[in-house]
Amino acid sequence: MALLMRPEPLTADFDRLFNTLFDRGQATQRWVPAMDLVEHEDHFLLRADLPGLSDEDVSIELNDGSLTVAGERKAEHDQRERGFYRLERPFGKFSRTLTLPDGIDGGQIKASFSTGVLEVWIPKPEQRKPRRIEIGAANGNGKPETLEGSASEK
């Protein structure tokens, strides 16, 4: 006759603790902050949730038509701590790049940072309007008078 043993509650607690301790590595996964990009009539607005960071922790760069928001949230715990703890808030370096439409004036981009939210205003480029070309009268050799006149003056 085999003796069956039910797991004791204490054993289940140890199993849960053991599994939790090995889940800690997930806290060091790459941090990707949430960002929204909204198009308005005359500008784009980029909003990024960056809790726990200050404006000194974030950089914004414009390079070859790409806008990059980068920074780092440092871990707030010491790896040598003793005892049980659980870490779920992500930390580490991040970088997000957005390709901008042609014609954006980088000098007009503005940014602000308040209560953990970064806002970047990106003005839309001016619409290029068609330019009307006037047609001049030809003088007999097929060239407009203005071109022939300017060539003979040189």
Side-chain angles (χ1 to χ4, degrees):
M1 174 159 136
L3 180 62
L4 296 175
M5 295 182 64
R6 281 190 3 207
E8 296 199 15
L10 188 56
T11 304
D13 287 342
F14 276 112
D15 287 343
R16 196 172 325 115
L17 177 62
F18 184 79
N19 291 335
T20 302
L21 289 174
F22 284 99
D23 287 342
R24 276 196 315 206
Q26 294 177 358
T28 60
Q29 290 178 349
R30 183 171 177 249
W31 178 40
V32 181
M35 293 188 180
D36 295 335
L37 180 64
V38 179
E39 182 177 8
H40 294 275
E41 189 172 320
D42 62 345
H43 69 281
F44 298 99
L45 179 59
L46 174 70
R47 283 192 179 115
D49 288 343
L50 303 172
L53 274 66
S54 70
D55 55 347
E56 289 107 24
D57 299 321
V58 181
S59 70
I60 305 170
E61 293 183 7
L62 180 64
N63 187 16
D64 291 333
S66 293
L67 183 79
T68 300
V69 178
E72 181 176 9
R73 181 161 65 187
K74 296 192 176 13
E76 296 176 355
H77 67 283
D78 185 354
Q79 293 291 339
R80 293 177 297 244
E81 286 184 26
R82 299 192 58 146
F84 176 75
Y85 57 99
R86 182 173 181 103
L87 305 173
E88 292 184 354
R89 296 183 317 141
F91 58 90
K93 293 182 180 183
F94 70 90
S95 178
R96 302 282 307 266
T97 300
L98 171 69
T99 301
L100 300 176
D102 290 335
I104 296 279
D105 181 2
Q108 298 298 314
I109 296 174
K110 295 181 177 21
S112 68
F113 195 89
S114 176
T115 63
V117 178
L118 173 70
E119 291 188 341
V120 182
W121 289 271
I122 307 163
K124 287 183 177 178
E126 288 188 29
Q127 294 293 328
R128 295 184 179 154
K129 297 178 182 171
R131 191 177 128 221
R132 184 170 175 89
I133 311 271
E134 294 296 323
I135 301 173
N139 63 2
N141 65 1
K143 292 183 183 176
E145 288 181 16
T146 55
L147 289 179
E148 186 173 288
S150 63
S152 64
E153 293 173 9
K154 288 185 181 177

